[in-house]
Amino acid sequence: MKILVLNGPNINFLGIREKGIYGSEDYNSLVTSLEGKAKEEGHELEVYQSNYEGGLIDKIQEAYHNGTEGIIINPGAFTHYSYALRDALGSVEIPKIEVHISNVHKREEFRHLSVTAPVCTGQVVGLGLKGYALAMDFLTGR
């Protein structure tokens, strides 16, 4: 299966920012773990991170044309207000799982709303970096 993992703003600062919320593992550790899992299971994986909304939208549009069969996305703060990202996700008929490392429902009120979740197949929230692996398992039917 061909899977695209998209990470939004500040996800590249894992292990640096708010360790009490996001943990001490760094971004490279997350990427290495996902790449290892994909290789072991025989999947093709692309991981992309951008602090810019347009970069994420471009990748979603590319996915439509390049045979991507599943998208895992942690939109970061864009979750709560990016209607452009929502529209891009909603425009592709590809299974999509939204992932959040922390339990956004136990945090500040503004984090409780996801404008992107309604156009995703499902959502994994609050299970740390393991949420990405669980999203991959869902997409691949494991």
Side-chain angles (χ1 to χ4, degrees):
M1 181 173 206
K2 186 172 183 174
I3 302 168
L4 172 63
V5 177
L6 296 173
N7 287 297
N10 298 311
I11 306 300
N12 59 316
F13 256 45
L14 286 175
I16 297 169
R17 70 183 278 232
E18 300 174 281
K19 293 179 186 178
I21 295 172
Y22 300 105
S24 58
E25 281 191 71
D26 67 10
Y27 184 71
N28 289 334
S29 174
L30 169 64
V31 172
T32 299
S33 172
L34 292 173
E35 288 174 342
K37 179 175 175 54
K39 184 177 181 180
E40 180 180 301
E41 296 175 4
H43 305 298
E44 184 180 339
L45 185 74
E46 178 182 1
V47 180
Y48 178 79
Q49 187 276 328
S50 181
N51 293 316
Y52 300 97
E53 191 176 34
L56 298 170
I57 292 168
D58 287 345
K59 282 296 188 182
I60 292 164
Q61 292 177 358
E62 283 177 27
Y64 174 79
H65 295 289
N66 71 13
T68 295
E69 300 166 272
I71 296 174
I72 298 168
I73 183 166
N74 182 339
F78 292 141
T79 302
H80 315 295
Y81 67 89
S82 178
Y83 294 102
L85 187 58
R86 174 198 165 96
D87 288 349
L89 288 164
S91 71
V92 295
E93 294 288 328
I94 299 170
K96 300 165 287 283
I97 305 297
E98 182 174 294
V99 172
H100 295 286
I101 298 164
S102 68
N103 183 345
V104 293
H105 305 291
K106 291 178 74 175
R107 297 185 63 197
E108 303 92 339
E109 183 74 25
F110 77 89
R111 295 185 194 274
H112 298 184
L113 173 67
S114 171
V115 301
T116 50
V119 294
C120 289
T121 308
Q123 189 182 53
V124 179
V125 175
L127 300 179
L129 300 184
K130 291 179 182 178
Y132 287 87
L134 292 170
M136 189 183 299
D137 286 347
F138 175 81
L139 289 173
T140 62
R142 291 185 60 80

